[in-house]
């Protein structure tokens, strides 16, 4: 495995491999890697000849400077994990390497990017599209891998690729990876205290319970069930819970309104913002 920090070096390495007919998988990350990221890399390794993992905390997708400052950075540990799971390259550029000048590009994929995270984190998805599109142009991968925990992000990236093209790039969505007790793996979990870690379990427990609850209750009742459980849980503050069409991300009002229905939630545990989702119909 090779650690690369410049675009020029990475492209030189990949051009040589591409000339040999090698397929290239890309796993974009912001570092602070865990078993969820490892699952993405393992799948990429299984489906491609060469795998590149980017390890870059992208400043343009943070609308909260404090959140950016507190985001964990663990490059050495990340490299150890990535070598074990078979990555060929770790691309860990500086901010100056990626943004030698401000990126003024504007991406708009309404209504996908105006609801949920788009509503509560203005500018977030524009920053995501800036960095992901840059990585696609730098790496020119055959396939790129993203976790379904960031469900809205995945839908927006699919739409961006659909509209821009990127040489027929295939976007691969991978299932949420959870701890044995159900908590969705997240780099932000490292910021939870032991007590908060226990409190945060209520998020996944409630979502799992709501799937069974939904079998005998209306969509509105199910939404209220989740909102009540989280709002009354110790240490948690609900930002939103929406039940949406899994493709359009638009709110649905009845279980009959679609064949692919997903519940998306964001909860603060102390100062740590956690997201999760659950599929009701697929």
């Amino acid at each position: 495995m090779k650690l690369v920090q410049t675009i020029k070096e990475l492209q030189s390495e990949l051009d040589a491999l591409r000339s040999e007919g090698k397929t290239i998988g890309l796993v974009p990350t912001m570092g602070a890697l865990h078993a969820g990221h490892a699952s993405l890399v393992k799948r990429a390794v299984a489906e491609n000849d060469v795998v590149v993992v980017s390890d870059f905390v992208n400043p343009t997708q943070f609308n909260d400077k404090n959140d950016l400052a507190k985001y964990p950075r663990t490059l050495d540990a990340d490299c150890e994990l990535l070598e074990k799971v078979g990555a060929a390259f770790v691309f860990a550029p500086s901010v100056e390497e990626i943004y030698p000048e401000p990126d003024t590009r504007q991406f708009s994929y309404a209504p996908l990017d105006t609801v949920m995270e788009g509503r509560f984190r203005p500018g977030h998805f524009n920053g995501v599209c800036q960095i992901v599109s840059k990585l696609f142009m730098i790496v020119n991968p055959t396939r790129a891998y993203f976790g379904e925990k960031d469900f809205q992000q995945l839908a927006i990236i699919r739409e961006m690729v659909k509209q821009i093209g990127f040489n027929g790039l295939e976007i691969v969505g991978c299932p949420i990876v959870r701890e044995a007790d159900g908590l969705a793996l997240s780099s932000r979990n490292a910021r939870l205290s032991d007590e908060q870690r226990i409190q945060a379990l209520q998020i996944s427990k409630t979502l799992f319970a709501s799937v069974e609850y939904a079998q005998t209750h209306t969509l509105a009742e199910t939404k209220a069930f989740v909102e009540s459980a989280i709002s009354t849980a110790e240490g948690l503050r609900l930002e939103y819970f929406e039940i949406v069409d899994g493709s359009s991300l638009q709110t649905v009002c009845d279980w009959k309104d679609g064949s692919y229905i997903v519940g998306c939630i964001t909860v603060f545990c102390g100062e740590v913002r956690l997201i999760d989702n659950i599929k009701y119909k697929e």
Side-chain angles (χ1 to χ4, degrees):
M1 189 185 76
K2 188 169 185 178
L3 175 64
V4 180
Q5 294 179 303
T6 69
I7 295 170
K8 183 177 180 180
E9 181 183 1
L10 181 65
Q11 289 183 325
S12 176
E13 295 273 5
L14 295 180
D15 285 347
L17 292 165
R18 201 177 286 108
S19 70
E20 299 172 6
K22 304 287 189 184
T23 57
I24 298 170
L26 170 65
V27 182
T29 83
M30 292 208 300
L33 304 184
H34 49 64
H37 297 107
S39 72
L40 300 181
V41 179
K42 288 176 183 177
R43 181 163 176 183
V45 168
E47 297 178 352
N48 301 274
D49 297 317
V50 179
V51 173
V52 178
V53 180
S54 63
D55 192 311
F56 177 71
V57 181
N58 175 44
T60 71
Q61 70 191 68
F62 286 83
N63 58 330
D64 181 342
K65 291 182 179 179
N66 289 328
D67 196 19
L68 172 61
K70 293 177 181 177
Y71 198 88
R73 292 161 172 82
T74 57
L75 181 58
D76 289 345
D78 294 345
C79 288
E80 288 183 22
L81 182 152
L82 292 172
E83 189 153 31
K84 290 177 182 177
V85 293
F89 298 96
V90 179
F91 181 47
S94 65
V95 173
E96 293 74 23
E97 181 72 11
I98 294 295
Y99 300 111
E101 53 190 44
D103 191 337
T104 58
R105 294 176 299 158
Q106 293 295 312
F107 297 83
S108 178
Y109 300 111
L112 294 176
D113 59 357
T114 58
V115 297
M116 297 189 293
E117 294 294 283
R119 175 186 169 199
F120 287 93
R121 301 182 69 187
H124 169 68
F125 287 122
N126 194 68
V128 168
C129 289
Q130 286 177 343
I131 184 57
V132 172
S133 63
K134 276 181 175 283
L135 290 170
F136 288 169
M137 289 185 284
I138 292 166
V139 176
N140 189 19
T142 311
R143 301 175 188 89
Y145 296 78
F146 296 86
E148 290 184 348
K149 186 174 76 70
D150 294 292
F151 191 82
Q152 186 173 7
Q153 172 180 278
L154 177 57
I156 289 167
I157 288 169
R158 288 191 193 281
E159 183 63 23
M160 179 180 73
V161 169
K162 180 181 176 182
Q163 291 195 22
I164 297 177
F166 292 112
N167 298 323
L169 168 64
E170 179 186 352
I171 299 298
V172 181
C174 301
I176 295 173
V177 177
R178 298 182 182 275
E179 298 280 8
D181 56 16
L183 183 68
L185 288 178
S186 170
S187 300
R188 296 174 188 271
N189 292 351
R191 293 173 53 195
L192 298 171
S193 67
D194 291 344
E195 181 181 9
Q196 289 173 330
R197 172 70 176 67
I198 294 171
Q199 293 170 342
L201 281 178
Q202 190 63 36
I203 302 169
S204 57
K205 285 182 178 179
T206 299
L207 291 180
F208 296 150
S210 75
V211 173
E212 183 175 350
Y213 184 90
Q215 302 303 311
T216 54
H217 292 80
T218 67
L219 188 147
E221 288 169 338
T222 303
K223 188 171 188 292
F225 169 81
V226 172
E227 291 175 337
S228 175
I230 298 298
S231 296
T232 57
E234 183 179 358
L236 301 183
R237 177 168 64 83
L238 178 67
E239 185 163 74
Y240 68 79
F241 174 63
E242 298 291 345
I243 300 179
V244 302
D245 179 277
S247 298
S248 70
L249 304 186
Q250 299 309 289
T251 300
V252 293
C253 299
D254 192 285
W255 296 124
K256 298 178 182 178
D257 287 349
S259 58
Y260 184 22
I261 298 178
V262 181
C264 298
I265 195 166
T266 294
V267 179
F268 279 93
C269 185
E271 294 183 353
V272 184
R273 190 175 187 272
L274 302 173
I275 65 173
D276 203 343
N277 62 77
I278 200 81
K279 293 175 182 175
Y280 293 107
K281 293 175 69 176
E282 61 176 318

